[in-house]
Amino acid sequence: MTLASMTGFARAEGALGDRSWHWEIRSVNGRGLDLRLRLPSGFERLEPLVRERAQKRLARGSLTIGLQLRRAETGGSVRINEAALETLLKACEGMAASGRAAEPRADGLLAIKGVVEVEEETEDEDARAALDKALLESFDAALGTLIQMRAGEGARLKSVLTQRIDEIAALAGQAEANASRSPEAIGRRLSEQISQLLEAAPALDPQRLHQEAVLLATKADIREELDRLSAHVLAARELLEAKAAVGRKLDFLTQEFNREVNTVCSKSNDVDLTRIGLELKSVVDQLREQIQNVE
């Protein structure tokens, strides 16, 4: 299995004897594998077999599966329901005798539901088994077409996701090389802040201020966040090459991306670094949106 989308549509037609049919499968995003079946009356027996086939070949997606079945007109045999007809005749004769109705006519009586019955030809077990087999084979063909469509969309998604991951790696590299992270820049910035504090309040202990400044500098360091971003980028690239459904793992990974980027933004004490952090947030959001469609 390669990277696949969860959206797609497929249709397959079939026929056997006087029966013809078509399957339609529509697939959209879903947290798990959700199957909704619409089968003709009398064919509910196929539902567990259809579900089993879909569950073996799909991992995620919300699927609507429909079967439309038609039968050629064969005429069948017509039978008069004598008991129903006799009951109606007696009622009509009684009403006619009392003047409440006219004498009954044959066309009127025969038009009443239940008087004329059309007997359909019954299928034996072998015929029914053959029909079920043909229907399921046709469903397998529709399912195969759906999987191909989802795989094609997945290939396009992979290209987009790779581009987003490349952008994250590039922005993380810009943050790594940002001049504000150099020891010299940090030292100058802290010295200026300490000098301003001492000018405003000469009674403050310079040694204590230096200690506090060192603690603040340590807390503001984004070395760990950048290292984790690099690890997440590597993990994302590996998932995109995996031969399994990875949508859930990628979704979790985007949460980790977002956590690290939020920390970078909160620790930033430089305009350029803040800009890089905000761009990272935008790209991670785009990545998350695309991943919602990955199986």
Side-chain angles (χ1 to χ4, degrees), residues 21 32 52 105 111 125 138 152 166 169 177 179 201 221 226 244 246 259 281:
W21 63 84
E52 180 183 5
R105 291 168 52 90
E125 287 299 321
S138 184
D166 288 345
D221 183 40
L226 292 178
V246 295
R259 183 177 292 111
K281 281 182 66 68

Side-chain angles (χ1 to χ4, degrees), residues 200-216:
L204 292 174
D205 182 6
Q207 183 64 30
R208 179 62 183 274
L209 283 176
H210 278 286
Q211 292 175 353
E212 293 295 329
V214 170
L215 288 175
L216 289 174

Side-chain angles (χ1 to χ4, degrees), residues 34-48:
D34 179 27
L35 305 175
R36 289 188 283 269
L37 276 65
R38 298 172 181 170
L39 302 177
S41 176
F43 286 83
E44 295 83 359
R45 63 182 183 272
L46 295 179
E47 181 168 342

Side-chain angles (χ1 to χ4, degrees), residues 256-271:
E256 297 301 307
F257 271 121
N258 195 57
R259 183 177 292 111
E260 303 306 333
V261 171
N262 283 337
T263 305
V264 168
C265 289
S266 66
K267 287 185 174 182
S268 174
N269 50 22
D270 177 79
V271 173

Side-chain angles (χ1 to χ4, degrees), residues 234-255:
L234 180 60
R237 296 193 194 282
E238 291 176 350
L239 286 174
L240 290 182
E241 300 300 327
K243 304 299 182 183
V246 295
R248 290 183 182 277
K249 293 180 179 179
L250 285 171
D251 187 41
F252 173 76
L253 196 56
T254 58
Q255 298 176 39

Side-chain angles (χ1 to χ4, degrees), residues 3-4 52 176-177 202 262-263 284 286:
L3 194 73
E52 180 183 5
E176 175 82 34
N262 283 337
T263 305
V284 169
Q286 294 172 28

Side-chain angles (χ1 to χ4, degrees), residues 15 27 32 56 80-81 85 127 140 145 210 229 236 255 265 280 288:
S27 174
K56 282 183 178 179
I80 302 296
N81 188 329
L85 181 59
D140 288 340
T145 300
H210 278 286
L229 278 175
Q255 298 176 39
C265 289
L280 274 168
R288 178 189 294 148

